[in-house]
Amino acid sequence: MALKHGSLTAWVAGFLAVLISYAGPLVIFVQAAHAGHIPAAQLVSWIWAISMGAGVSGLLLSWWFRMPIITAWSAPGTALLLSLFPAISMPEVVGAYLMAGALIALIGVTGYFEKILAFIPKGIAAGMMAGILFQFGVNAFRSSVDAPLMVLAMLAAYLAGRRWWPRYGIVVVALVGFAVAFATGKTDLRVLGLELASPVFIAPQFSIGVFFSFTVPLVLVSLTGQFLPGMAVLQLAGYHPPSRAVVTGTGLASMLTACFGGITIVLAAITAALCTGRDAHPEPGRRYIAGIANGVFYLVGGCFAASIVKLFTAFPAALIAALAGLALIGAIVSNIRLMSDESTYVEPSVITFLATASGMSLFGLGAAFWGVVFGMAAYWLLGRPVKKQ
């Protein structure tokens, strides 16, 4: 039935969604691996795991519910991981992934998704996410010291893409960066070649400190930064996805891929817009094929994860840093807007942002955790009216 209802535009939309994910959010994964001194074999396993988790969950959910449910991996969560390396070990990371997946699945089964989102003010969550992503935006411009021509060309491509091709802007930036790097002799294309991925099993290790520094913030950014806008994209397109099934399904997918390095699988938001509009298919009832196509292309990408790693190693670190930072500008802007959306939350949100962006660590707990703690404390003290005597 899926093939019968399929169309070229739906398959193109699914392919572009995967391409944009690999050109943008995947770069953060590569940076995290470099920061944590992760061997190439484990990085291949990471990419295999997130691709398989996103591919299988998105494909099955789209087919079962007959709507374009696009899944991906948590880009803000990966940025959070980068801020914790190298103090955190890979077994601890896997333990945190497992716990986060279990918590998300539990939240889905119990139907507490909406209640948890209602408890934490959007401005506080946005402040934490903006703080996590801040360093990426800064590093995009710092990298111009090592490769000014390449980074300036990528910035120009970003601005042109935002002006004339906003949907495909990050792909344009990546292509320009690759072209300039090649033209200036900063590439090593000899390493390129097709190679199948070999998953690497990593035994989990659990830690209370990592649970509060990584697991809890990971769940929080996944719920507020991915599931919430992802649901909104579907609803604005006229779909009404069952939140329990979607959250539970992605939580289970996260648990199944965690021991191979797969971070939390979540609903996509930005790339989901490619598969939910008229460009994917003129008939809303048949756009679900774009979700199936998206899953298929993720599965193909996962099989050749080793080739994807080789592609990134063929280009300079400055290109990777600039690409990651420019790809996240939109997310940073969205969260800054949320921070200032309601006047009641502005100061607590800024406190959350500053604490998170500082990279501070107290009592073995990371900046994202303390950012939420300080922000919530400020909200309860400053954001609530004082009773007059």
Side-chain angles (χ1 to χ4, degrees), residues 139-163:
N139 287 336
F141 296 93
R142 284 177 179 163
S143 62
S144 63
V145 175
D146 298 321
L149 177 62
M150 181 178 65
V151 175
L152 290 176
M154 292 173 71
L155 178 60
Y158 172 82
L159 295 175
R162 290 292 299 160
R163 179 65 179 85

Side-chain angles (χ1 to χ4, degrees), residues 2 7 19-20 28 53 63 71 84 118-119 133 152 163 183 192 194 219 250 268 271 285 287 314 336 358 376 384:
S7 68
L19 180 62
I20 290 171
I28 308 169
W63 172 77
T71 55
L84 295 173
F119 175 74
L133 301 177
L152 290 176
R163 179 65 179 85
L192 297 180
L194 288 178
V219 172
T250 51
T271 54
R287 291 173 194 165
I336 289 175
S358 72
M376 288 297 293
R384 296 165 64 85

Side-chain angles (χ1 to χ4, degrees), residues 76 124-134 220-221 224-226 331 335 356:
I124 302 296
M128 182 185 67
M129 287 187 63
I132 292 171
L133 301 177
F134 174 76
L220 183 58
V221 298
T224 59
Q226 301 276 178
N335 284 288
T356 305

Side-chain angles (χ1 to χ4, degrees), residues 109-121:
V109 169
T110 57
Y112 273 85
F113 173 64
E114 288 83 3
K115 293 180 181 179
I116 291 175
L117 292 180
F119 175 74
I120 300 175

Side-chain angles (χ1 to χ4, degrees), residues 341-369:
D341 210 18
E342 296 185 44
S343 58
T344 307
Y345 302 145
V346 171
E347 196 165 352
S349 300
V350 170
I351 290 173
T352 302
F353 165 74
L354 292 174
T356 305
S358 72
M360 64 176 291
S361 177
L362 287 176
F363 312 114
L365 302 175
F369 172 79

Side-chain angles (χ1 to χ4, degrees), residues 197-275:
S198 297
V200 177
F201 180 84
I202 304 168
Q205 181 178 329
F206 301 97
S207 164
I208 294 296
V210 173
F211 177 79
F212 286 106
S213 293
F214 187 29
T215 303
V216 172
L218 175 57
V219 172
L220 183 58
V221 298
S222 297
L223 293 177
T224 59
Q226 301 276 178
F227 284 106
L228 181 61
M231 291 286 187
V233 168
L234 284 166
Q235 290 170 355
L236 288 172
Y239 301 100
H240 300 284
S243 61
R244 281 195 178 191
V246 172
V247 176
T248 303
T250 51
L252 293 175
S254 302
M255 294 177 68
L256 291 173
T257 57
C259 289
F260 299 99
I263 198 170
T264 307
I265 303 300
V266 294
L267 269 184
I270 298 173
T271 54
L274 291 170
C275 302

Side-chain angles (χ1 to χ4, degrees), residues 38-353:
I38 303 302
Q42 283 192 6
L43 176 56
V44 170
S45 186
W46 283 13
I47 296 174
W48 175 87
I50 58 177
S51 300
M52 290 297 172
V56 172
S57 60
L59 192 158
L60 292 179
L61 288 169
S62 297
W63 172 77
W64 185 262
F65 294 109
R66 291 297 191 270
M67 60 182 72
I69 299 176
I70 310 302
T71 55
W73 57 91
S74 178
T78 309
L80 173 61
L81 173 63
L82 178 56
S83 70
L84 295 173
F85 272 147
I88 185 174
S89 69
M90 215 31 233
E92 289 177 322
V93 169
V94 170
Y97 286 171
L98 274 173
M99 289 297 295
L103 286 174
I104 289 174
L106 181 63
I107 290 168
V109 169
T110 57
Y112 273 85
F113 173 64
E114 288 83 3
K115 293 180 181 179
I116 291 175
L117 292 180
F119 175 74
I120 300 175
K122 292 180 182 179
I124 302 296
M128 182 185 67
M129 287 187 63
I132 292 171
L133 301 177
F134 174 76
Q135 290 300 328
F136 288 91
V138 172
N139 287 336
F141 296 93
R142 284 177 179 163
S143 62
S144 63
V145 175
D146 298 321
L149 177 62
M150 181 178 65
V151 175
L152 290 176
M154 292 173 71
L155 178 60
Y158 172 82
L159 295 175
R162 290 292 299 160
R163 179 65 179 85
W164 289 291
W165 318 287
R167 181 171 292 179
Y168 314 114
I170 195 59
V171 176
V172 174
V173 172
L175 292 175
V176 168
F178 293 153
V180 175
F182 176 76
T184 53
K186 296 182 180 295
T187 61
D188 183 12
L189 302 183
R190 294 171 298 177
V191 303
L192 297 180
L194 288 178
E195 184 180 341
L196 292 174
S198 297
V200 177
F201 180 84
I202 304 168
Q205 181 178 329
F206 301 97
S207 164
I208 294 296
V210 173
F211 177 79
F212 286 106
S213 293
F214 187 29
T215 303
V216 172
L218 175 57
V219 172
L220 183 58
V221 298
S222 297
L223 293 177
T224 59
Q226 301 276 178
F227 284 106
L228 181 61
M231 291 286 187
V233 168
L234 284 166
Q235 290 170 355
L236 288 172
Y239 301 100
H240 300 284
S243 61
R244 281 195 178 191
V246 172
V247 176
T248 303
T250 51
L252 293 175
S254 302
M255 294 177 68
L256 291 173
T257 57
C259 289
F260 299 99
I263 198 170
T264 307
I265 303 300
V266 294
L267 269 184
I270 298 173
T271 54
L274 291 170
C275 302
T276 56
R278 289 186 56 85
D279 290 340
H281 200 290
E283 298 181 33
R286 295 188 176 183
R287 291 173 194 165
Y288 75 94
I289 195 65
I292 293 177
N294 181 258
V296 169
F297 287 119
Y298 266 131
L299 295 179
V300 173
C303 289
F304 292 97
S307 299
I308 294 174
V309 171
K310 286 184 177 181
L311 177 63
F312 281 111
T313 57
F315 293 93
L319 185 151
I320 304 301
L323 186 56
L326 293 173
L328 289 171
I329 287 178
I332 294 171
V333 171
S334 296
N335 284 288
I336 289 175
R337 284 175 176 164
L338 279 175
M339 285 172 59
S340 57
D341 210 18
E342 296 185 44
S343 58
T344 307
Y345 302 145
V346 171
E347 196 165 352
S349 300
V350 170
I351 290 173
T352 302
F353 165 74

